[in-house]
Amino acid sequence: MTHRLLSCLVTFIFLASCAPSDEEKINLLIDKRMKAFELKDPTIYSECIYEDYKVISEEEITDKEKLVNRFSDQVSAVDAISFGEPKRYIYINRQNARILLISSIKLEIDDNSITHKSKEVINVSKVLGEWKITRESELNLLSETMILEN
C-alpha cells in the first residue's frame, strides 16, 4: 500500500513539474499575437484577446470587435510584417500580469522596407485557466508610435 501511494505521489509530482508555468503560457500568448501580425490574421489575433475586452478613453470605448477591426486595418495597409527577437519583461501578480515588450518591427510596403523599435505594454489576465490580453498599448504600425497609457 505504501509503495503504491509513493508511486502515485511521484507520478503526480512529475506531471505537475511538466506543466508549463504561467510565464511560459504568457510567452506563448505573446508569440501567438506576434504570429498573428506576421500572418496578418485577425482570427489568430482575436483568439489572444479577452472576450470582454473594454478600454475606455476620453475619445472612445474600445471593445474586442473594435480592437480586432483596428488590427485588420493596420495589417492590411502593409505587405509584410516581421519582428526581431523581442525583449520581454513579465510581471505576474496572481491572476494578472503586465508585459513590457520591446522589439523591432520590419514593415514592407510595395518595394520599401521600414524598421523601427516598438515599446508596448500589454496587460493579461488568467480567465478560466487561460491567459488572455485585457489591455494593450495602441500600436500604430505606420506612424511608428505607441500610446503607453496602461
Side-chain angles (χ1 to χ4, degrees), residues 15-97:
L15 290 175
S17 68
C18 292
S21 69
D22 283 335
E23 186 169 341
E24 290 170 322
K25 290 177 183 177
I26 291 168
N27 274 313
L28 289 172
L29 174 67
I30 299 304
D31 289 343
K32 184 175 184 176
R33 178 183 176 268
M34 291 172 73
K35 183 58 84 183
F37 275 94
E38 290 174 346
L39 295 175
K40 302 180 356 171
D41 189 325
T43 302
I44 294 173
Y45 180 75
S46 179
E47 292 170 359
C48 299
I49 308 300
Y50 176 55
E51 204 55 45
D52 293 331
Y53 184 99
K54 187 169 287 186
V55 174
I56 301 170
S57 69
E58 293 176 10
E59 299 87 33
E60 66 181 349
I61 297 174
T62 303
D63 61 5
K64 181 177 179 175
E65 182 180 358
K66 188 175 275 190
L67 183 68
V68 173
N69 287 339
R70 185 171 62 211
F71 167 87
S72 295
D73 290 345
Q74 285 196 25
V75 298
S76 67
V78 297
D79 297 323
I81 303 168
S82 60
F83 290 84
E85 188 61 36
K87 291 183 185 175
R88 298 175 187 182
Y89 302 93
I90 300 173
Y91 307 96
I92 301 172
N93 184 8
R94 297 184 185 162
Q95 302 296 97
N96 299 298

